[in-house]
Amino acid sequence: KMCRNLSRIMRYITNTAETTVTLREELDYVQKYLYCMKVRYQSSLNYSIDVDESLLDQPVPKLIIQPIVENAIHHGRDDDSEAFHILIRLFEEQGKTVFEVIDDGCGMDPEKLMDLQNSMNHSEGGYGLRNVNIRIKLQYGPQYGVYIESERGFGTKIRIEFPGRERAKA
């Protein structure tokens, strides 16, 4: 199963013909990635996914969720052996489609959080977050993008906002 998931991940990543996918396809890719990470980290990594299934056919730019999940796994803990949980949520709120990746890891100090937020529109640090943020803003406008909340000792929440179903269809 691990080999099958890895091969499907590679096909998804290398298929450059598709730059827009459905949320269903993006979430399927993320679930395969999480399966592989669960095999790697075993009982120290747990995750849950809570989605509004009515949103799954909405088109989005490809590869916008996995970099956020990867950041949570690699930067959300001080030690790979620490127990860690990631919650992925997909819902609609005030006319926007929202993806949240919430972890209960180590969180960030206010200074690090501010540096990361400032780097979102500049060329230093936070490449995955910045890439996703810029691609969403380019596709949908400056009112959408990636938002970060974090507190040291309590975890981090990354929120990705893009247009709701009605605007996404237009």
Side-chain angles (χ1 to χ4, degrees), residues 7-30 32 58-68 99 127-137 139-140 146 160 162:
S7 69
R8 289 178 179 150
I9 287 170
M10 293 305 296
R11 271 196 301 271
Y12 187 81
I13 292 170
T14 58
N15 179 1
T16 58
E18 298 293 325
T19 58
T20 301
V21 296
T22 65
L23 282 168
R24 182 182 317 281
E25 292 168 303
E26 187 73 357
L27 193 56
D28 182 57
Y29 164 65
V30 169
K32 287 174 178 40
Q58 184 174 330
V60 292
K62 185 177 176 181
L63 297 172
I64 60 167
I65 303 164
Q66 184 273 337
I68 309 303
F99 241 112
Y127 298 108
L129 285 172
R130 187 177 67 249
N131 179 307
V132 170
N133 188 49
I134 290 170
R135 289 173 48 224
I136 289 173
K137 288 182 181 304
Q139 177 126 2
Y140 301 117
V146 176
I160 307 168
F162 45 94

Side-chain angles (χ1 to χ4, degrees), residues 38 43 47-48 61 79 81 87 102 105 119 148 151:
K38 178 76 175 152
S43 62
Y47 63 90
S48 53
D79 179 337
S81 65
L87 169 62
I102 304 166
S119 76
I148 310 164
E151 185 176 344

Side-chain angles (χ1 to χ4, degrees), residues 48-116:
S48 53
I49 299 174
D50 178 20
V51 300
D52 177 343
E53 292 190 10
S54 71
L55 300 170
L56 291 176
D57 292 323
Q58 184 174 330
V60 292
K62 185 177 176 181
L63 297 172
I64 60 167
I65 303 164
Q66 184 273 337
I68 309 303
V69 172
E70 182 177 348
N71 277 353
I73 293 169
H74 293 293
H75 301 293
R77 302 180 286 178
D78 289 324
D79 179 337
D80 284 349
S81 65
E82 290 178 17
F84 185 69
H85 184 265
I86 296 173
L87 169 62
I88 297 173
R89 297 179 62 216
L90 170 65
F91 57 96
E92 199 163 32
E93 178 182 88
Q94 298 176 350
K96 294 180 180 179
T97 297
V98 178
F99 241 112
E100 290 181 339
V101 177
I102 304 166
D103 70 62
D104 63 357
C106 60
M108 290 179 250
D109 295 320
E111 300 80 23
K112 181 166 176 73
L113 176 59
M114 187 179 300
D115 288 345
L116 186 58

Side-chain angles (χ1 to χ4, degrees), residues 26-44:
E26 187 73 357
L27 193 56
D28 182 57
Y29 164 65
V30 169
Q31 288 175 310
K32 287 174 178 40
Y33 175 80
L34 280 165
Y35 176 85
C36 294
M37 291 299 102
K38 178 76 175 152
V39 169
R40 177 178 178 194
Y41 293 108
Q42 298 174 8
S43 62
S44 69

